[in-house]
Amino acid sequence: MKFIVNGDKNQYTEFIQSHPKGHILQSLEWAQVKEENWRSMHVMVEDEGRITASMLLLLRPLPLVGKYMIYSPRGPVCDVCDFETLRFLVENVKKLAKKHGALMLKIDPDISIKDREAVNNLKKLGFIQNLEALNFEAIQPRFVFRLDITPSLDELLARFHHKTRYNIRLAQKKGVRVRLGNREDLKEFHRIMEITGIRDGFVVRSLEYFERMYDCLKPKGFMELALAEYDGKVIAGIICLFFGQKCWYLYGASSNEHRNVMPNYLLQWEMIKLAKERGCTLYDFRGVSGDLNPENPLYGLYRFKKGFSGEFTEFVGEYDLVFSPLWYTIFQKGVPVFRDLRRKLTLVFKKAKMKF
């Protein structure tokens, strides 16, 4: 086997687009989205002239410690049950990581919690589970809904919960109109995202981030912004990412006004239809909470996505390969505190700003 660093970009992209575990977050275009704060490398394993494994590696310097964190979102892309290929990939990435002064390699692979062989292989190579996130504590969601969209549209609609079908038709009857947006529409989408973030208690990325995402992904056909309009006003919007035969619902926003005309249901339905038109076989609704208690504040999001009758999927979560135990311990204790403080201060500031 041969380990290739920053090899042929077309070969790399073709491999992850066609692989069952391929993901938009492993793409070179996604690395461009993140390049403001992260350096990137892409690596491949070649076996007898055929690519059998790959990883996108994002490197970020950590303040004060003089070390790097290396993160491979939804990586690696390979058959994780093929231990020899996985071992060869990880051992070479480990050498690369140590060369760059990394304290850890973090992965959150596209592996179901039910796949015990894959999990055991990660543990045999020294990976440790970072945390068992029930809500959205991890970088990527551990729990998602995934919908097989190979059946016909009529079959898909028939499988939805009756209330979901009702709300889609209600939005249509009330005159909600869905259209695809352009770069200029990101300003209005971001404004509504800010409203959503304050209402639901999460921090929203900057407008510049969404514009960079658009510039990196849209020209390749990897991103679409869809907006729902009612009475001439934008009242909701979503961003979906397309890669290979998969589509991911990444961001959603809704105004505090006219929520009774159910724009979010129609937006999802229209994007499912668009994904089918583009040859996708999977529509990923992304994150929900793993705490299914109806008293959980996030239960409404679970109920909304569940209504589209996708498969509730639990991934194995984050796994870390640690190179510097002391600094890793300090990092693990400090980051959650910093993130929580930053989230609270940001929301307080934005609430105060909106009042004025």
Side-chain angles (χ1 to χ4, degrees), residues 48 50 56 98 164 167 212 241 252 289 322 340 350 352:
E48 297 183 350
R50 183 174 63 93
L56 176 70
K98 290 182 177 180
T164 299
N167 286 335
R212 186 165 64 253
L241 303 184
S289 173
V322 180
D340 187 55
K350 288 185 176 179

Side-chain angles (χ1 to χ4, degrees), residues 121-267:
N121 282 346
L122 291 178
K123 291 179 178 178
K124 280 195 287 186
L125 291 171
F127 282 93
I128 59 174
Q129 188 170 27
N130 180 24
L131 77 165
E132 295 195 26
L134 268 183
N135 294 312
F136 293 95
E137 302 92 339
I139 301 176
Q140 303 300 329
R142 185 177 169 195
F143 302 89
V144 302
F145 272 109
R146 285 177 153 183
L147 179 65
D148 174 8
I149 58 173
T150 55
S152 70
L153 290 176
D154 287 342
E155 288 176 292
L156 287 172
L157 194 61
R159 294 176 188 180
F160 294 170
H161 189 276
H162 67 88
K163 189 66 175 177
T164 299
R165 289 197 303 272
Y166 174 84
N167 286 335
I168 291 170
R169 288 164 177 155
L170 174 67
Q172 293 170 329
K173 183 179 179 181
K174 292 291 185 179
V176 176
R177 186 174 72 91
V178 172
R179 66 174 176 87
L180 295 182
N182 55 36
R183 194 178 191 276
E184 189 64 26
D185 289 315
L186 287 170
K187 294 176 183 177
E188 184 64 10
F189 174 79
H190 186 261
R191 184 187 71 81
I192 299 176
M193 274 290 290
E194 292 279 20
I195 293 172
T196 308
I198 291 172
R199 184 178 67 230
D200 296 340
F202 64 85
V203 176
V204 175
R205 292 188 180 275
S206 68
L207 173 60
E208 290 73 21
Y209 180 84
F210 288 103
E211 289 174 336
R212 186 165 64 253
M213 184 188 300
Y214 189 94
D215 293 340
C216 294
L217 301 180
K218 175 63 177 176
K220 296 288 185 72
F222 295 164
M223 171 182 165
E224 288 293 353
L225 165 68
L227 302 170
E229 296 178 331
Y230 180 71
D231 278 351
K233 293 176 59 178
V234 175
I235 59 171
I238 62 175
I239 287 177
C240 285
L241 303 184
F242 299 79
F243 196 72
Q245 292 183 307
K246 300 171 186 175
C247 176
W248 293 266
Y249 160 45
L250 193 63
Y251 290 108
S254 61
S255 170
N256 290 332
E257 301 175 330
H258 307 299
R259 299 180 73 188
N260 60 314
V261 297
M262 302 300 169
N264 296 314
Y265 288 88
L266 185 58
L267 276 167

